[in-house]
Amino acid sequence: MSEPLIQVENLGIAYRLSRNRAGTFKEFAIRAVKRQVTFEKLWAVRGVSFDVRPGEVFGVVGPNGAGKSSLMKAVARVLPPSEGRVVVRGTVAPMIELGAGFNPELSAQENIVLYGALLGRRPELMRERTHDILAWADLLEFADVPIRSFSTGMLARLGFAVATDVQPDVLVVDEVLSVGDEAFQVKSRARIRQLMDSGVSIVLVSHSLPLIEETADRAMWMDHGAPKMIGNPTDVVSAYREWSK
Amino acid sequence: MTTPVRVYDSDQLRKPLVSVFRNLWQFRGLLRLLVTRDLTLRYKRSALGVWWTLLNPLLTMSVLWIVFSQVFRFEIPGVPFAVYLLSGILIITLFAQGVNSTGAAMVNNAGVLSKVYVPAEVFAFSSGVAAAANFAISLLPLFAIQLVTGVGVPWTALLIPLPLIMLLAFTIGVGLLVAAAAVYFYDVLDLTNVFLQLVSYLVPTFYPISMIPERFLPIIQINPLYSYLKVFRGFAYEGVFAPGWNFVVMIVSGVAMLVLGVWVFSRSWKNLVVLL
């Protein structure tokens, strides 16, 4: 029995931005003198535990503001846990917001290298891969164009192509499969499928319930930062549907 | 499994100090990329491009030269005023630019830092290093003026990397403190600007040190930047070693500031990302 690739134990993520957060140092100084500095904690996620094994697809559903995105960020190690523990064995390809880190002034080619470096890949390696990435994203003719003139769909294609270029051990997907036109959706699904077949673990957040039912091996329904139900995706999805009505 | 796997365990997050330098090493490719991006992108949409890096200090110097050399008739014994002025401007610019950009690094890159895992210190350090690279490029116009005015370039100019590296350490240290504070309060960056302006007047960039009354002298000399400037000027055109205490102040303040900045930054990092 192999070890789980992702272990989330009693995870809690708290934000401290309440109405009492002083925006400026001046305000803070004044409040400190008046002794009005208080920090209120807002728990975006609390008491969440689950494991994801190699090759498993773990789906997460829930209404807006349920803490799904915060959970994804904790798995992608963007947010440190406020309590509990997150262990991830292997490389993570975060697809939380495609192309976060693109620079509008740089060309598509330069952005591939930059975005790859942000994901921790070596620039030399990225330069070698540039052609293939552009070819997959159908953007070869725009290689030298600054991406500020790109359309949203083009950006999404480029971001997806870079993020999935190297085979990761864990893929964290937050609602990005719904961007782009029909052709791109088909293409990106095919690529995800291919990654799944090769044993990548996936944590998938989506409002598309059919997608979760169809692809996930297990699912979790979250509400107000806490897990309401974990189990078979069909059961979880139908319970969530029932509740949403 | 045969290949070594990268394991992320949130329980082993951040042993301060060491982890910062380990992260910088691990992301050195990104660091290099960010520095070059910083240098080339700043002038990307301008006609003169990177030539601005050379022109910028020259323009500032020309204005100050007209005001102080021609209008106020300042004179520095033994060296053309332009050389004295430009060498001072370079040091002050490196410090001010470095602290400003390092300080703004967290806030400016909030979009990336809250979506992709990148150690925040990579952004902070890259801004500081870019300022230092700018400084290195700006040495060319300085040496050009030294040659034109007949001062020449002494062999000690080869030793400039020493004060440069120490000033870089000092600058990044201060910048990291600002960066951590700027996440909490957005007016910190404005306050920093005011502070930097004040500090730059306290260093003899455009006035001779002999103009300072005896009783105010300690105020000038206690400022670590004074020592950096003194050592730098000694190497760049005087061809001499500054007094020993200047070296001591330079090295001690540089190392201490960097350690302090990195320590505070890595201690507060956990809270910072949540606040972004």
Side-chain angles (χ1 to χ4, degrees), chain B residues 11 16 21 53 56 63 84 86 104 119-120 135-136 148 158 181 223 245 270:
Chain B
D11 272 1
F21 293 104
T53 315
N56 235 339
V63 173
Y84 184 82
L86 186 52
F135 175 93
V148 169
L158 292 171
N223 183 348
W245 71 268
K270 258 186 145 180

Side-chain angles (χ1 to χ4, degrees), chain A residues 37-132:
Chain A
V37 188
T38 51
F39 285 111
E40 247 176 76
K41 279 193 176 177
L42 179 85
W43 289 93
V45 173
R46 198 151 206 197
V48 173
S49 304
F50 63 88
D51 283 354
V52 182
R53 306 201 161 275
E56 195 176 24
V57 179
F58 189 79
V60 182
V61 295
N64 287 329
K68 303 186 298 290
S69 293
S70 298
L71 173 66
M72 292 301 100
K73 286 181 182 178
V75 174
R77 70 189 287 192
V78 173
L79 281 181
S82 311
E83 63 176 31
R85 185 178 181 202
V86 177
V87 180
V88 179
R89 297 189 175 83
T91 53
V92 181
M95 299 215 279
I96 290 176
E97 197 164 303
L98 287 174
F102 277 163
N103 189 310
E105 297 301 323
L106 296 176
S107 70
Q109 230 169 351
E110 292 166 311
N111 265 305
I112 288 174
V113 178
L114 175 64
Y115 190 40
L118 284 173
L119 297 176
R121 300 180 202 153
R122 293 201 349 265
E124 303 79 48
L125 190 95
M126 291 312 293
R127 281 194 195 97
E128 283 168 26
R129 299 287 312 148
T130 303
H131 183 87
D132 289 358

Side-chain angles (χ1 to χ4, degrees), chain A residues 17-34:
Chain A
L17 12 93
S18 62
R19 50 198 160 290
N20 282 326
R21 183 187 170 197
T24 68
F25 183 73
K26 227 161 70 186
E27 263 177 61
F28 175 78
I30 293 167
R31 283 188 185 174
V33 173
K34 291 183 178 168

Side-chain angles (χ1 to χ4, degrees), chain A residues 14-17 21-26 28 73-74 76-81 84-91 96-97 100-101 103 105-106 110 113-114 117-120 123-124 127 148, chain B residues 1 5-13 26-30 32-34 37 41 44-45 111-118 123 183-188 191 269-271 273-276:
Chain A
Y15 290 93
R16 271 207 317 202
L17 12 93
R21 183 187 170 197
T24 68
F25 183 73
K26 227 161 70 186
F28 175 78
K73 286 181 182 178
R77 70 189 287 192
V78 173
L79 281 181
R85 185 178 181 202
V86 177
V87 180
V88 179
R89 297 189 175 83
T91 53
I96 290 176
E97 197 164 303
N103 189 310
E105 297 301 323
L106 296 176
E110 292 166 311
V113 178
L114 175 64
L118 284 173
L119 297 176
E124 303 79 48
R127 281 194 195 97
R148 79 184 114 87
Chain B
M1 274 180 224
V5 214
R6 258 206 297 205
V7 177
Y8 160 60
D9 184 345
S10 63
D11 272 1
Q12 289 174 12
L13 226 47
Q26 200 195 335
F27 278 78
R28 62 192 180 281
L30 176 63
R32 206 174 54 220
L33 215 58
L34 289 175
R37 185 185 81 172
L41 206 61
K44 187 126 186 166
R45 289 169 91 172
V112 180
L113 288 172
S114 59
K115 270 151 208 140
V116 181
Y117 167 71
V118 186
F123 286 104
V183 178
Y184 287 96
F185 313 109
Y186 54 69
D187 62 343
V188 165
L191 293 175
W269 169 85
K270 258 186 145 180
N271 300 326
V273 183
V274 180
L275 281 170
L276 278 176

